[in-house]
Amino acid sequence: MESATSSKRQRVGNVQRAARDTEDEEEEKMFDVRSVNKDVDVDSKIAALKVSLSVVCLLSRTGGKNLCRCSGTVVECECKQEIGGGGGGGEFVATILTSANLLRFPAYSRYTFLAPDITVEVYLSKGKPLKGQVLGYDFHYNLAIIQITTDYPLPTAILTDIDVSMPLTPTPLLTDSKPFGLRPHTVDSSLFKLRGGDKVIALARTHTCHCLLVESGTLSIYKSSGLHCQELLYTSCKTTHVYIGGPLINCDGEVIGIVFHYDGYAAFLPINIASRCMQLLKRDRGVCHPWLGMTLTNSYAAKASVLEEIIQKFPHISNGIIVKDVMKGSPAAHAGIVSKDIIVECDGEVVRCSLEFCRMVWNRASQSVEVVVMRPSSSKHVKLTMVADELKPASYNWQVLFHLFVCWFSYRNARWH
């Protein structure tokens, strides 16, 4: 009886290994080393090489079955135990920032669950896979933190917050000039100024041949999607699912965002939000999400007809974000905010873009938030007070992405197992 059971287990193991070998062969064909990155320009390759050793591939399994494969970035590496008097040897703990897709349990539900009995393997640029430990995750921003232990220090990526604001800056009305224009502004020299059309580069790594993938593109200020995450920005980088969780970098090799995949292109969560989430997950094991119940857009991304109406009412307006929609019964609605309002201040701080506004209300769940809005319908400045609610898991972002992931998983599952 024991012999028969052992034989059955061996047959099952052989089938699973054969399925994984087939998948590995398919991946190698898809990312042929001879053809990968062949059309990438030299500047993009140079930028990618500055951070390449920090880019990893992650593979998760639940109940021994393949669940998800994505990329990630080594963002921290600390010496846990030194050996040999500080000569570089010892035990090191590295922290990897990636996508929570790695941990999601695929079920036909709008709710998201942590996969049961989950294991994670991490593939570096070379060598055998390392066992990953789940340190934290946030399904709202679709982020996860994985830790690995090595016997040597790993290179860590440089994370640089971005400034995507481009206010309407008035200029004197001269005969040879326009009454206003879109111009960059200077707020903090430590921020990387990112404008529509600027070059960005998405990176990923495969787990079979350890191959680095590089795809360059530009920032798009007008593109949107159904991912239901207002904080996402979009690019023209053509990507696949393996790029999910990987870094988006600038031409200096600095990580400015975490890549997600939508409709063949790379969307990304700004590193401003991702790094803050990571610190809260490490410290508190969770992230509190305030909810105001309104959809916002940056002024530079608004339609020309909307901007014309704003400029006619407020010819000297320089900053602000536009309210597109307000949910009925939301904190914003109770405060009196309406569509087309322009939020120009929050608790005494000037609001230049939606990313800044997100930072200002980050830890304000159940607290009052005072805003100043400019209302085109009345040409008035209005001071309003909102009390932010805490977002519930049922209303988290990524419902559309999760549906697409479920469909992809269902298709691949039969081929993996």
Side-chain angles (χ1 to χ4, degrees):
M1 181 68 180
E2 185 176 346
S3 177
T5 302
S6 176
S7 178
K8 182 177 179 180
R9 288 177 179 172
Q10 186 175 0
R11 287 197 301 273
V12 171
N14 290 338
V15 170
Q16 291 179 342
R17 281 191 295 273
R20 289 172 187 168
D21 290 343
T22 301
E23 178 64 21
D24 291 347
E25 290 174 4
E26 290 179 359
E27 184 184 73
E28 287 179 352
K29 290 178 182 177
M30 182 182 299
F31 304 117
D32 189 338
V33 177
R34 294 169 298 180
S35 62
V36 162
N37 307 329
K38 68 176 183 179
D39 296 325
V40 178
D41 61 277
V42 174
D43 290 339
S44 296
K45 292 178 182 178
I46 292 174
L49 291 176
K50 292 180 180 180
V51 70
S52 62
L53 295 181
S54 301
V55 181
V56 303
C57 177
L58 302 100
L59 176 64
S60 61
R61 296 188 176 93
T62 177
K65 297 180 179 180
N66 288 353
L67 176 64
C68 179
R69 181 175 50 200
C70 62
S71 297
T73 310
V74 178
V75 294
E76 294 178 358
C77 187
E78 299 177 349
C79 182
K80 186 177 180 181
Q81 182 179 0
E82 265 190 18
I83 297 176
E91 189 175 74
F92 297 84
V93 176
T95 301
I96 298 167
L97 186 58
T98 185
S99 166
N101 275 11
L102 187 73
L103 312 176
R104 291 179 188 266
F105 185 70
Y108 289 95
S109 166
R110 66 178 304 220
Y111 299 97
T112 51
F113 301 96
L114 181 68
D117 190 23
I118 193 167
T119 60
V120 176
E121 289 182 351
V122 178
Y123 297 80
L124 306 178
S125 59
K126 60 182 180 179
K128 295 181 179 180
L130 302 173
K131 182 180 179 181
Q133 177 186 355
V134 180
L135 185 63
Y137 58 91
D138 181 76
F139 283 144
H140 179 61
Y141 284 123
N142 203 23
L143 296 172
I145 307 173
I146 306 298
Q147 279 192 341
I148 56 175
T149 301
T150 68
D151 54 5
Y152 59 94
L154 297 179
T156 58
I158 297 174
L159 309 184
T160 301
D161 286 354
I162 61 174
D163 168 21
V164 294
S165 60
M166 186 177 286
L168 299 172
T169 304
T171 58
L173 183 58
L174 303 175
T175 55
D176 59 345
S177 67
K178 298 179 181 179
F180 72 96
L182 287 172
R183 297 184 176 181
H185 74 285
T186 301
V187 179
D188 185 341
S189 60
S190 66
L191 300 177
F192 177 72
K193 310 297 189 294
L194 188 62
R195 304 289 176 259
D198 285 355
K199 184 175 182 178
V200 292
I201 306 158
L203 304 180
R205 188 174 298 282
T206 66
H207 88 280
T208 50
C209 56
H210 302 261
C211 185
L212 178 72
L213 305 180
V214 183
E215 188 64 45
S216 64
T218 58
L219 175 69
S220 172
I221 63 175
Y222 300 110
K223 190 174 181 180
S224 61
S225 75
L227 293 182
H228 295 180
C229 183
Q230 291 190 61
E231 293 82 3
L232 285 184
L233 298 175
Y234 298 87
T235 77
S236 64
C237 300
K238 295 182 178 180
T239 56
T240 62
H241 286 90
V242 74
Y243 280 85
I244 293 176
L248 187 85
I249 65 172
N250 59 20
C251 292
D252 295 322
E254 300 167 332
V255 177
I256 59 174
I258 304 300
V259 173
F260 298 105
H261 176 71
Y262 183 80
D263 198 26
Y265 294 91
F268 71 98
L269 184 71
I271 202 66
N272 312 37
I273 296 175
S275 58
R276 182 170 295 211
C277 272
M278 179 181 70
Q279 297 305 324
L280 289 174
L281 286 171
K282 290 180 64 177
R283 189 188 70 187
D284 305 330
R285 294 293 189 265
V287 179
C288 181
H289 303 288
W291 178 69
L292 298 173
M294 56 183 174
T295 305
L296 305 171
T297 185
N298 291 308
S299 57
Y300 58 76
K303 294 180 180 179
S305 58
V306 175
L307 290 178
E308 182 183 40
E309 181 182 355
I310 292 172
I311 293 301
Q312 288 176 349
K313 292 286 186 179
F314 307 104
H316 300 294
I317 188 172
S318 178
N319 300 292
I321 52 177
I322 302 170
V323 178
K324 290 180 63 177
D325 301 294
V326 179
M327 291 183 62
K328 186 178 180 180
S330 66
H334 287 311
I337 290 180
V338 298
S339 177
K340 295 187 179 181
D341 275 354
I342 307 155
I343 301 175
V344 294
E345 286 187 20
C346 178
D347 286 338
E349 287 191 70
V350 175
V351 177
R352 296 178 175 85
C353 63
S354 58
L355 189 56
E356 273 192 350
F357 185 70
C358 177
R359 172 187 60 80
M360 294 172 185
V361 301
W362 184 272
N363 291 322
R364 306 301 296 274
S366 303
Q367 298 181 32
S368 62
V369 178
E370 189 175 86
V371 296
V372 175
V373 304
M374 301 172 77
R375 186 161 291 170
S377 61
S378 62
S379 301
K380 293 181 179 179
H381 289 63
V382 183
K383 186 176 290 187
L384 303 170
T385 301
M386 298 180 286
V387 178
D389 284 345
E390 184 174 352
L391 192 67
K392 305 302 180 186
S395 300
Y396 280 179
N397 292 323
W398 309 95
Q399 302 303 337
V400 173
L401 175 65
F402 183 58
H403 171 70
L404 294 174
F405 173 68
V406 168
C407 294
W408 173 78
F409 177 86
S410 300
Y411 169 73
R412 302 301 290 173
N413 197 38
R415 307 183 73 171
W416 273 359
H417 308 133

